[in-house]
Amino acid sequence: MRAVSLAIAGVSAFCFGFSGPMAKILGVAGLAPLEAVWIRMAGAGVLLLAVLAVVKPRALRIPRDRLLFFAAYAAIAVAAVQALYFVAITRLPVGVTLLIEYTSPVLVVLWVRFVRRLRLPRSAYLGALIAVVGLAIVVQVWEGLRLDALGLLLALLAAACCAGYFLMSDSFGDDVDTLGLIGWGMLGSAVVLLPVSRPWNIDWAAFTRAAEVSGRTIPVAVAAVVLVVVATVVAYATGVTAVRRLSAAVGSTVASVEVIAGALVAWVLLGERLGAAQIAGGVIVLAGALLAQTATVRLGSERHAAETVETVRV
């Protein structure tokens, strides 16, 4: 069971890794970052909800007492994470912004420990910290560092909202369908992003052209489809599933492998080579993720023991 859960988390991280390279292709084609984000969210929301309407219509039901949760999920866990990150990279180096955003596993661990008052194995804390150190090396945070107060604040807010995504994905019950939540969340985030993305200004003719990136010619429409289907629908569906099977604390740390996946996808598709420091940092990130996932064994054992004691009492 644990191996399957980790495999699902790995698939999610790999799929999310396509988002950066595909968004870069859309950028070369002339789309602004927030326009690409809107295409991603709106396209994924419409696609997923349309499929569910045919194959699993009951998944579209939103319990009346969960309306605020769905709205918060769309605004915080999806729209805010995307928008804050893309605005932050206009004021901070991409590497620094990524590093700050992916401190979210540490924030999740602290929230679980001090707000939910759930004791976690030391491996959960240590794994999260090791993963952050590895990410600092991957993005080579020491190069071109410049601090901007507003950019730093936006990146920190993005990290907090990213932590909210993991925590909210781990908090709903069986009355909410996972795919339904993701579909409505995507569509809702597209609505939230309307004022800043301004999709009515998008150059739709760009999707009929091809983009030249690092000597490679890639159809813009293909990049958009991969961004919507692989990097969003599949990535979020497997990501939320993994968090619910592993817990928010462990799932968020394992999800940090996304940065490594993104670098590998960019290397293969866009010819962006990985340096020795990035490879070493990737190994450290993986070590932190593997260390954190051992917490699932201990947490599972503790839950099983607690359930056994409760059964005996009854």
Side-chain angles (χ1 to χ4, degrees):
M1 182 67 74
R2 180 168 59 94
V4 173
S5 300
L6 290 173
I8 294 173
V11 169
S12 176
F14 179 74
C15 291
F16 270 122
F18 279 89
S19 59
M22 295 304 105
K24 182 174 183 178
I25 294 171
L26 295 186
V28 172
L31 272 71
L34 287 175
E35 291 177 339
V37 170
W38 191 87
I39 291 291
R40 180 185 185 187
M41 297 296 103
V46 171
L47 175 62
L48 185 53
L49 291 177
V51 171
L52 289 175
V54 175
V55 302
K56 194 180 180 182
R58 66 178 181 278
L60 302 180
R61 178 180 173 274
I62 303 177
R64 185 172 299 178
D65 59 345
R66 289 288 194 171
L67 284 173
L68 288 179
F69 176 79
F70 272 71
Y73 192 89
I76 298 173
V78 184
V81 174
Q82 299 291 329
L84 288 169
Y85 169 75
F86 279 105
V87 176
I89 60 176
T90 65
R91 309 185 69 92
L92 291 176
V94 173
V96 175
T97 309
L98 274 175
L99 175 62
I100 295 173
E101 181 177 350
Y102 275 90
T103 58
S104 56
V106 177
L107 298 178
V108 170
V109 168
L110 293 175
W111 180 277
V112 171
R113 175 65 184 89
F114 295 105
V115 178
R116 291 187 178 177
R117 298 187 181 280
L118 175 64
R119 297 185 64 86
L120 297 171
R122 290 182 180 178
S123 58
Y125 301 99
L126 186 58
L129 290 175
I130 290 175
V132 170
V133 171
L135 288 173
I137 298 174
V138 171
V139 302
Q140 299 182 31
V141 67
W142 55 86
E143 292 187 2
L145 180 64
R146 61 182 178 86
L147 293 177
D148 177 275
L150 180 58
L152 182 60
L153 176 61
L154 292 172
L156 288 172
L157 288 174
C161 291
C162 189
Y165 157 72
F166 290 110
L167 291 167
M168 293 175 75
S169 296
D170 189 37
S171 65
F172 61 87
D174 294 335
D175 59 327
V176 174
D177 185 271
T178 299
L179 294 178
L181 172 64
I182 296 170
W184 286 119
M186 297 297 171
L187 194 61
S189 69
V191 174
V192 172
L193 291 172
L194 275 173
V196 293
S197 296
R198 300 180 180 180
W200 47 85
N201 292 329
I202 292 177
D203 178 17
W204 296 100
F207 295 98
T208 64
R209 301 190 289 266
E212 290 282 344
V213 183
S214 301
R216 290 177 170 82
T217 301
I218 302 174
V220 177
V222 172
V225 170
V226 173
L227 181 64
V228 169
V229 178
V230 178
T232 311
V233 174
V234 178
Y236 271 91
T238 52
V240 175
T241 300
V243 168
R244 294 186 63 75
R245 295 169 68 109
L246 292 170
S247 83
V250 177
S252 61
T253 301
V254 176
S256 62
V257 178
E258 174 193 336
V259 178
I260 311 303
L264 291 174
V265 172
W267 180 25
V268 174
L269 295 182
L270 307 180
E272 297 181 359
R273 295 184 178 276
L274 296 174
Q278 290 176 305
I279 294 174
V283 172
I284 294 173
V285 171
L286 290 173
L290 289 172
L291 180 61
Q293 63 87 20
T294 61
T296 60
V297 178
R298 299 181 184 178
L299 285 174
S301 299
E302 291 176 3
R303 288 173 180 172
H304 178 70
E307 290 173 358
T308 302
V309 170
E310 193 65 28
T311 301
V312 171
R313 288 178 179 175
V314 175

